[in-house]
Amino acid sequence: MPFTYLNPGKPTTFKDRHVTKVAETVRTYEEGLKGEVGLIGLPSSKSSISLSMAANAPITIRTALQSFSTYEASTRRDFKGMTVLDFGDTPIHPTSVEETLERLHVSVLEMLEEEACERYVLLGGDHGVSYPAIHAFQKKYGTVGVLQWDAHHDVRNLEDGGRTNGTPFRSLIDGGLLAGSHLVQIGIRDYSNAKAYDDYCQKNNIHVYTMDDVEEQGIIPLVQKEITRLAEQVDMMYLSVDMDAVDQAHAPGCPAIGPGGLTSRELLTSVRIAAKHHKVKAIDIVEVDPSKDMRDMTSRLAAHTMMRFMYR
């Protein structure tokens, strides 16, 4: 006899017939399926130079998608018809960072080879995942331009610890996979870097915008200017969002929090502006540590960042 109220094996959740949650638009990838956006988790944080559980972020960000609707009030558009194909998470090697990087690279490249989606969201992990991921996009699409939201340059030397979450862009540039002039860094903060790495950026013609630059120029004109410049020089563009670019008041769940960063609105608006260009094919969102978060504030902001990219 069927139960009156019980529904074994299924969660007890309220459902409003008029509301579609973002999580409801996510489907597990199967061969032959097509969608607008591909989603992959890159749960690696063993290369972090500070203690980090960012490997757990893909789970918490996906969970956060259950809290938000597909309706955009500012434009009166509903994205409930969009399909997000979830390719799952790459299993990392238990001890070898280099093997993990290879697995991440292969997984992203294989996802791209399926050609099932137009654009892609990659959920880290620490910022070290950007190196194998961008390398995969470079193999697939050709010349890549990168907009990096970050408090740090992430061009540390490799002699003091190998490939870490502080080395992805040095690895790409020194490896000939990314031209320095095709990298734009937004939100670089005082007292968060070394002069040697500022010198490296200047030597390699990396376009660096500090928080003072953001204050003086405004983040929207700045992003628009660099997107226009890159679009004339590259085959595709990739957005890399290190959540520690955001002020610790808005994103407490990062291993390297600090004051004086971007507001949540500045991050979301600038990502939306960048994502509108047709050459922007991907975004990674990294450095969310759920173990350090407060009421999932950072995971929820990461989910909104993902949505600003998808719903352009």
Side-chain angles (χ1 to χ4, degrees), residues 277-288:
H277 199 283
H278 69 278
K279 282 193 174 182
V280 174
K281 298 292 185 184
I283 186 172
D284 69 37
I285 303 171
V286 299
E287 299 293 350
V288 176

Side-chain angles (χ1 to χ4, degrees), residues 87-196:
F87 287 79
D89 292 352
T90 301
I92 66 169
H93 192 279
T95 58
S96 172
V97 171
E98 287 299 327
E99 173 62 23
T100 290
L101 293 175
E102 176 63 17
R103 292 184 182 190
L104 298 176
H105 174 71
V106 169
S107 297
V108 174
L109 188 57
E110 288 179 344
M111 174 182 68
L112 298 180
E113 293 295 345
E114 292 295 300
E115 298 186 345
C117 308
E118 301 171 3
R119 294 174 292 137
Y120 299 89
V121 175
L122 300 85
L123 301 178
D126 67 36
H127 216 156
V129 307
S130 296
Y131 167 55
I134 293 172
H135 185 192
F137 277 88
Q138 183 264 339
K139 276 188 177 179
K140 176 66 176 176
Y141 289 100
T143 307
V144 179
V146 178
L147 268 71
Q148 170 195 355
W149 285 255
D150 209 326
H152 311 93
H153 292 298
D154 286 356
V155 294
R156 289 178 183 266
N157 75 84
L158 276 69
E159 289 77 14
D160 290 332
R163 298 198 197 281
T164 68
N165 65 333
T167 67
F169 297 103
R170 191 182 197 116
S171 297
L172 289 162
I173 292 170
D174 288 357
L177 305 171
L178 176 68
S181 61
H182 295 161
L183 174 60
V184 179
Q185 299 183 331
I186 302 168
I188 299 298
R189 286 213 292 275
D190 291 341
Y191 318 118
S192 299
N193 299 278
K195 183 180 185 302

Side-chain angles (χ1 to χ4, degrees), residues 235-254:
D235 298 314
M236 67 149 287
M237 287 179 277
Y238 182 107
L239 313 182
S240 185
V241 177
D242 185 326
M243 293 298 290
D244 71 27
V246 181
D247 192 281
Q248 60 189 10
H250 301 272
C254 296

Side-chain angles (χ1 to χ4, degrees), residues 80 234 263:
K80 63 183 179 181
V234 302
T263 67

